[in-house]
Amino acid sequence: MIELKTLNKIYNKGKSNAFHALKDIDFTVSQGEMVAIMGPSGAGKSTLMHVIGTVDSFENGVYLFQGKNVGLMSEKRKAALRAKKIGFVLQDFGLISDETALSNVMTPLFFGKARLRDMKAKALQALKAVGIENLAKKKVKNLSGGQKQRVAIARAIVSDPVLLLADEPTGALDTKTSAEIMDIFANLHQKGKTILIVTHNDEVAAQCERTVQIVDGKIIE
Ligand SMILES: Nc1ncnc2c1ncn2[C@@H]1O[C@H](COP(=O)(O)OP(=O)(O)OP(=O)(O)O)[C@@H](O)[C@H]1O
Ligand SMILES: [Mg+2]
């Protein structure tokens, strides 16, 4: 489903502060796989997720998403691809804290043309899938860390994407809540989702089918 071939990412290319963040990356992920991405801080894990999520550009090499060449896509096409096929779970949750859980989860649906009523139903279904439909009307700022992480996952799955990208989804959570969040991912994996999880935690990685190590911008399998 995802194929990266000798892909390179250089921040601030051509400037004095240029930084070679991904070096000759070869990386393939099959449909339905659950993969952990590990490595030291600054190694390039988030950069890799951003490139795979099509929000960051890359310099050379090839990126194929379901056989389609991402490097040749316009920004508009990439935005459409993201909206339909990719769900992001961010470490800092990326939620709007003054809005309710429900309206946060509904946000990605505004990209499409569904009716408000249908969007609400879908968002409630996603909140139910992560076990917090009872918190739909609560503002995100009044939720706990684990609850916020669930809202972030609900938002990532509300459009029923084929690929889920999670950047340290349990980084800010205690052991018990982490295990609960990992159960949600395991469940989504069982339902056929392809999942990439960046983590510093060996227990989280152990729950994935395989682990990829990144060190200094290079993948060491
Ligand atoms: N916008 C940017 N401009 C320049 N350099 C950047 C930019 N974003 C990241 N970098 C650099 O690229 C390298 C990889 O960053 P990245 O965020 O991918 O690391 P990471 O593996 O996710 O680390 P962490 O575990 O701390 O989250 C770092 O050295 C970082 O300083
Ligand atoms: Mg990171």
Side-chain angles (χ1 to χ4, degrees):
M1 183 164 106
I2 292 167
E3 263 182 276
L4 307 184
K5 296 175 198 162
T6 37
L7 185 142
N8 285 268
K9 165 75 188 171
I10 301 170
Y11 286 112
N12 310 313
K13 198 185 181 192
K15 296 184 189 150
S16 59
N17 60 348
F19 186 85
H20 201 157
L22 295 177
K23 299 168 186 164
D24 291 338
I25 299 284
D26 285 307
F27 183 43
T28 304
V29 181
S30 306
Q31 177 102 34
E33 261 197 301
M34 182 158 166
V35 182
I37 296 171
M38 299 188 86
S41 181
K45 304 179 297 295
S46 295
T47 304
L48 180 65
M49 296 292 261
H50 296 158
V51 168
I52 291 174
T54 79
V55 287
D56 256 8
S57 60
F58 50 91
E59 270 53 58
N60 49 46
V62 177
Y63 173 17
L64 302 179
F65 183 97
Q66 295 186 322
K68 305 236 165 62
N69 194 329
V70 174
L72 301 178
M73 290 182 190
S74 64
E75 286 306 321
K76 203 175 159 190
R77 241 186 102 208
K78 281 192 274 187
L81 171 85
R82 283 195 295 275
K84 281 201 199 97
K85 309 231 167 178
I86 304 177
F88 290 92
V89 183
L90 304 173
Q91 179 175 20
D92 58 1
F93 311 115
L95 302 169
I96 306 160
S97 59
D98 223 22
E99 299 269 355
T100 63
L102 185 70
S103 61
N104 268 279
V105 174
M106 282 168 69
T107 329
L109 299 174
F110 284 105
F111 192 88
K113 294 185 181 77
R115 289 185 195 176
L116 198 62
R117 200 191 326 141
D118 298 335
M119 292 198 285
K120 255 188 191 164
K122 267 196 178 170
L124 274 171
Q125 206 182 354
L127 284 167
K128 196 172 173 190
V130 298
I132 52 163
E133 72 270 35
N134 57 321
L135 299 175
K137 296 275 167 61
K138 260 191 119 158
K139 281 190 179 175
V140 161
K141 65 181 175 192
N142 298 327
L143 299 177
S144 74
Q147 291 167 340
K148 281 181 195 158
Q149 191 58 276
R150 283 168 200 262
V151 176
I153 295 171
R155 187 188 50 184
I157 61 174
V158 73
S159 311
D160 200 23
V162 289
L163 174 65
L164 275 175
L165 301 175
D167 199 345
E168 297 197 50
T170 63
L173 306 176
D174 63 49
T175 314
K176 182 169 169 284
T177 315
S178 291
E180 289 167 6
I181 294 296
M182 283 311 291
D183 284 346
I184 295 173
F185 281 109
N187 195 267
L188 291 164
H189 177 225
Q190 263 171 16
K191 287 184 180 144
K193 301 281 181 215
T194 307
I195 304 177
L196 300 187
I197 299 182
V198 171
T199 184
H200 287 285
N201 185 323
D202 288 328
E203 276 170 46
V204 169
Q207 280 170 271
C208 299
E209 288 168 307
R210 68 180 162 113
T211 298
V212 162
Q213 295 278 351
I214 301 192
V215 178
D216 195 19
K218 289 190 194 124
I219 285 193
I220 310 169
E221 286 268 17

